[in-house]
PDB file of all heavy atoms in Angstrom:
ATOM      1  N   ARG V 212      -5.647 -24.410  13.868  1.00 98.00           N
ATOM      2  CA  ARG V 212      -4.586 -25.045  14.812  1.00 98.00           C
ATOM      3  C   ARG V 212      -3.552 -24.023  15.103  1.00 98.00           C
ATOM      4  O   ARG V 212      -2.599 -24.291  15.757  1.00 98.00           O
ATOM      5  CB  ARG V 212      -4.088 -26.211  14.299  1.00 98.00           C
ATOM      6  CG  ARG V 212      -5.202 -27.268  14.083  1.00 98.00           C
ATOM      7  CD  ARG V 212      -4.732 -28.654  13.515  1.00 98.00           C
ATOM      8  NE  ARG V 212      -4.069 -29.470  14.555  1.00 98.00           N
ATOM      9  CZ  ARG V 212      -3.713 -30.759  14.285  1.00 98.00           C
ATOM     10  NH1 ARG V 212      -4.063 -31.240  13.191  1.00 98.00           N
ATOM     11  NH2 ARG V 212      -3.220 -31.335  15.196  1.00 98.00           N
ATOM     12  N   SER V 213      -3.784 -22.751  14.610  1.00 98.00           N
ATOM     13  CA  SER V 213      -2.683 -21.679  14.924  1.00 98.00           C
ATOM     14  C   SER V 213      -2.815 -21.253  16.375  1.00 98.00           C
ATOM     15  O   SER V 213      -3.930 -21.313  16.970  1.00 98.00           O
ATOM     16  CB  SER V 213      -2.758 -20.568  14.026  1.00 98.00           C
ATOM     17  OG  SER V 213      -3.946 -19.723  14.202  1.00 98.00           O
ATOM     18  N   PRO V 214      -1.718 -20.822  16.930  1.00 98.00           N
ATOM     19  CA  PRO V 214      -1.729 -20.365  18.360  1.00 98.00           C
ATOM     20  C   PRO V 214      -2.835 -19.394  18.687  1.00 98.00           C
ATOM     21  O   PRO V 214      -3.282 -19.300  19.784  1.00 98.00           O
ATOM     22  CB  PRO V 214      -0.349 -19.793  18.599  1.00 98.00           C
ATOM     23  CG  PRO V 214       0.509 -20.525  17.560  1.00 98.00           C
ATOM     24  CD  PRO V 214      -0.317 -20.673  16.363  1.00 98.00           C
ATOM     25  N   SER V 215      -3.153 -18.528  17.764  1.00 96.00           N
ATOM     26  CA  SER V 215      -4.207 -17.506  17.975  1.00 96.00           C
ATOM     27  C   SER V 215      -5.537 -18.008  18.149  1.00 96.00           C
ATOM     28  O   SER V 215      -6.354 -17.412  18.734  1.00 96.00           O
ATOM     29  CB  SER V 215      -4.163 -16.505  16.846  1.00 96.00           C
ATOM     30  OG  SER V 215      -4.610 -17.057  15.574  1.00 96.00           O
ATOM     31  N   ILE V 216      -5.719 -19.310  17.789  1.00 97.00           N
ATOM     32  CA  ILE V 216      -7.050 -19.864  17.836  1.00 97.00           C
ATOM     33  C   ILE V 216      -7.181 -21.166  18.612  1.00 97.00           C
ATOM     34  O   ILE V 216      -8.107 -21.461  19.181  1.00 97.00           O
ATOM     35  CB  ILE V 216      -7.609 -20.064  16.329  1.00 97.00           C
ATOM     36  CG1 ILE V 216      -7.761 -18.704  15.607  1.00 97.00           C
ATOM     37  CG2 ILE V 216      -8.919 -20.838  16.350  1.00 97.00           C
ATOM     38  CD1 ILE V 216      -8.251 -18.851  14.235  1.00 97.00           C
ATOM     39  N   VAL V 217      -6.066 -21.873  18.560  1.00 97.00           N
ATOM     40  CA  VAL V 217      -6.109 -23.313  18.958  1.00 97.00           C
ATOM     41  C   VAL V 217      -6.580 -23.460  20.479  1.00 97.00           C
ATOM     42  O   VAL V 217      -7.208 -24.457  20.878  1.00 97.00           O
ATOM     43  CB  VAL V 217      -4.856 -24.111  18.706  1.00 97.00           C
ATOM     44  CG1 VAL V 217      -3.674 -23.612  19.661  1.00 97.00           C
ATOM     45  CG2 VAL V 217      -4.980 -25.611  18.741  1.00 97.00           C
ATOM     46  N   GLY V 218      -6.344 -22.462  21.272  1.00 96.00           N
ATOM     47  CA  GLY V 218      -6.649 -22.468  22.687  1.00 96.00           C
ATOM     48  C   GLY V 218      -8.161 -22.416  22.917  1.00 96.00           C
ATOM     49  O   GLY V 218      -8.594 -22.466  24.040  1.00 96.00           O
ATOM     50  N   ASP V 219      -8.908 -21.917  22.048  1.00 98.00           N
ATOM     51  CA  ASP V 219     -10.304 -21.614  22.121  1.00 98.00           C
ATOM     52  C   ASP V 219     -11.188 -22.610  21.259  1.00 98.00           C
ATOM     53  O   ASP V 219     -11.225 -22.396  20.138  1.00 98.00           O
ATOM     54  CB  ASP V 219     -10.504 -20.185  21.677  1.00 98.00           C
ATOM     55  CG  ASP V 219     -12.077 -19.829  21.821  1.00 98.00           C
ATOM     56  OD1 ASP V 219     -12.931 -20.716  21.809  1.00 98.00           O
ATOM     57  OD2 ASP V 219     -12.289 -18.611  21.877  1.00 98.00           O
ATOM     58  N   PRO V 220     -11.595 -23.746  21.876  1.00 97.00           N
ATOM     59  CA  PRO V 220     -12.268 -24.777  21.057  1.00 97.00           C
ATOM     60  C   PRO V 220     -13.378 -24.321  20.228  1.00 97.00           C
ATOM     61  O   PRO V 220     -13.508 -24.844  19.043  1.00 97.00           O
ATOM     62  CB  PRO V 220     -12.740 -25.845  22.167  1.00 97.00           C
ATOM     63  CG  PRO V 220     -11.983 -25.479  23.422  1.00 97.00           C
ATOM     64  CD  PRO V 220     -11.663 -24.054  23.359  1.00 97.00           C
ATOM     65  N   THR V 221     -14.206 -23.388  20.632  1.00 97.00           N
ATOM     66  CA  THR V 221     -15.411 -22.926  19.930  1.00 97.00           C
ATOM     67  C   THR V 221     -14.925 -22.181  18.616  1.00 97.00           C
ATOM     68  O   THR V 221     -15.321 -22.460  17.519  1.00 97.00           O
ATOM     69  CB  THR V 221     -16.235 -21.915  20.688  1.00 97.00           C
ATOM     70  OG1 THR V 221     -16.537 -22.632  22.049  1.00 97.00           O
ATOM     71  CG2 THR V 221     -17.550 -21.623  19.980  1.00 97.00           C
ATOM     72  N   LYS V 222     -13.976 -21.252  18.889  1.00 97.00           N
ATOM     73  CA  LYS V 222     -13.498 -20.448  17.781  1.00 97.00           C
ATOM     74  C   LYS V 222     -12.705 -21.437  16.792  1.00 97.00           C
ATOM     75  O   LYS V 222     -12.860 -21.251  15.614  1.00 97.00           O
ATOM     76  CB  LYS V 222     -12.360 -19.542  18.380  1.00 97.00           C
ATOM     77  CG  LYS V 222     -12.408 -18.129  17.819  1.00 97.00           C
ATOM     78  CD  LYS V 222     -11.466 -17.276  18.639  1.00 97.00           C
ATOM     79  CE  LYS V 222     -11.104 -15.914  17.818  1.00 97.00           C
ATOM     80  NZ  LYS V 222     -10.128 -15.203  18.631  1.00 97.00           N
ATOM     81  N   SER V 223     -11.945 -22.342  17.345  1.00 98.00           N
ATOM     82  CA  SER V 223     -11.194 -23.214  16.413  1.00 98.00           C
ATOM     83  C   SER V 223     -12.139 -24.088  15.595  1.00 98.00           C
ATOM     84  O   SER V 223     -11.938 -24.312  14.389  1.00 98.00           O
ATOM     85  CB  SER V 223     -10.366 -24.129  17.332  1.00 98.00           C
ATOM     86  OG  SER V 223      -9.592 -25.140  16.567  1.00 98.00           O
ATOM     87  N   ALA V 224     -13.331 -24.623  16.208  1.00 98.00           N
ATOM     88  CA  ALA V 224     -14.139 -25.273  15.502  1.00 98.00           C
ATOM     89  C   ALA V 224     -14.922 -24.575  14.369  1.00 98.00           C
ATOM     90  O   ALA V 224     -15.052 -25.050  13.183  1.00 98.00           O
ATOM     91  CB  ALA V 224     -15.321 -25.971  16.319  1.00 98.00           C
ATOM     92  N   THR V 225     -15.208 -23.250  14.687  1.00 98.00           N
ATOM     93  CA  THR V 225     -15.795 -22.452  13.666  1.00 98.00           C
ATOM     94  C   THR V 225     -14.855 -22.157  12.510  1.00 98.00           C
ATOM     95  O   THR V 225     -15.170 -22.225  11.352  1.00 98.00           O
ATOM     96  CB  THR V 225     -16.154 -21.049  14.323  1.00 98.00           C
ATOM     97  OG1 THR V 225     -17.067 -21.332  15.399  1.00 98.00           O
ATOM     98  CG2 THR V 225     -16.910 -20.143  13.353  1.00 98.00           C
ATOM     99  N   MET V 226     -13.541 -21.962  12.905  1.00 98.00           N
ATOM    100  CA  MET V 226     -12.605 -21.670  11.837  1.00 98.00           C
ATOM    101  C   MET V 226     -12.377 -22.961  10.980  1.00 98.00           C
ATOM    102  O   MET V 226     -12.372 -22.807   9.768  1.00 98.00           O
ATOM    103  CB  MET V 226     -11.216 -21.362  12.506  1.00 98.00           C
ATOM    104  CG  MET V 226     -10.182 -21.050  11.472  1.00 98.00           C
ATOM    105  SD  MET V 226     -10.568 -19.733  10.306  1.00 98.00           S
ATOM    106  CE  MET V 226      -9.236 -18.516  10.682  1.00 98.00           C
ATOM    107  N   LYS V 227     -12.370 -24.143  11.595  1.00 98.00           N
ATOM    108  CA  LYS V 227     -12.232 -25.308  10.783  1.00 98.00           C
ATOM    109  C   LYS V 227     -13.397 -25.470   9.825  1.00 98.00           C
ATOM    110  O   LYS V 227     -13.165 -25.727   8.608  1.00 98.00           O
ATOM    111  CB  LYS V 227     -12.241 -26.531  11.752  1.00 98.00           C
ATOM    112  CG  LYS V 227     -11.834 -27.835  11.144  1.00 98.00           C
ATOM    113  CD  LYS V 227     -11.856 -28.980  12.237  1.00 98.00           C
ATOM    114  CE  LYS V 227     -11.625 -30.272  11.680  1.00 98.00           C
ATOM    115  NZ  LYS V 227     -10.167 -30.619  11.338  1.00 98.00           N
ATOM    116  N   ALA V 228     -14.570 -25.195  10.232  1.00 98.00           N
ATOM    117  CA  ALA V 228     -15.823 -25.288   9.386  1.00 98.00           C
ATOM    118  C   ALA V 228     -15.664 -24.217   8.175  1.00 98.00           C
ATOM    119  O   ALA V 228     -15.963 -24.425   6.984  1.00 98.00           O
ATOM    120  CB  ALA V 228     -17.073 -24.977  10.162  1.00 98.00           C
ATOM    121  N   HIS V 229     -15.177 -23.007   8.681  1.00 98.00           N
ATOM    122  CA  HIS V 229     -15.033 -21.936   7.576  1.00 98.00           C
ATOM    123  C   HIS V 229     -14.005 -22.338   6.590  1.00 98.00           C
ATOM    124  O   HIS V 229     -14.114 -22.091   5.270  1.00 98.00           O
ATOM    125  CB  HIS V 229     -14.543 -20.616   8.152  1.00 98.00           C
ATOM    126  CG  HIS V 229     -15.748 -19.887   8.938  1.00 98.00           C
ATOM    127  ND1 HIS V 229     -15.658 -18.582   9.224  1.00 98.00           N
ATOM    128  CD2 HIS V 229     -17.027 -20.259   9.206  1.00 98.00           C
ATOM    129  CE1 HIS V 229     -16.837 -18.235   9.785  1.00 98.00           C
ATOM    130  NE2 HIS V 229     -17.639 -19.265   9.785  1.00 98.00           N
ATOM    131  N   LEU V 230     -12.833 -22.995   6.996  1.00 98.00           N
ATOM    132  CA  LEU V 230     -11.712 -23.422   6.106  1.00 98.00           C
ATOM    133  C   LEU V 230     -12.309 -24.462   5.130  1.00 98.00           C
ATOM    134  O   LEU V 230     -11.978 -24.431   3.962  1.00 98.00           O
ATOM    135  CB  LEU V 230     -10.624 -23.838   6.868  1.00 98.00           C
ATOM    136  CG  LEU V 230      -9.842 -22.776   7.717  1.00 98.00           C
ATOM    137  CD1 LEU V 230      -8.667 -23.412   8.475  1.00 98.00           C
ATOM    138  CD2 LEU V 230      -9.405 -21.631   6.903  1.00 98.00           C
ATOM    139  N   LEU V 231     -13.049 -25.447   5.663  1.00 98.00           N
ATOM    140  CA  LEU V 231     -13.674 -26.428   4.831  1.00 98.00           C
ATOM    141  C   LEU V 231     -14.532 -25.839   3.742  1.00 98.00           C
ATOM    142  O   LEU V 231     -14.441 -26.227   2.642  1.00 98.00           O
ATOM    143  CB  LEU V 231     -14.337 -27.437   5.711  1.00 98.00           C
ATOM    144  CG  LEU V 231     -15.046 -28.554   4.907  1.00 98.00           C
ATOM    145  CD1 LEU V 231     -13.973 -29.493   4.334  1.00 98.00           C
ATOM    146  CD2 LEU V 231     -16.019 -29.427   5.962  1.00 98.00           C
ATOM    147  N   GLY V 232     -15.342 -24.945   4.232  1.00 98.00           N
ATOM    148  CA  GLY V 232     -16.246 -24.185   3.241  1.00 98.00           C
ATOM    149  C   GLY V 232     -15.435 -23.391   2.186  1.00 98.00           C
ATOM    150  O   GLY V 232     -15.677 -23.572   0.963  1.00 98.00           O
TER     151      GLY V 232
END
Side-chain angles (χ1 to χ4, degrees):
R212 301 178 75 168
S213 70
S215 60
I216 296 184
V217 73
D219 180 338
T221 308
K222 222 171 161 186
S223 177
T225 305
M226 181 57 120
K227 193 181 171 78
H229 283 194
L230 296 180
L231 180 63

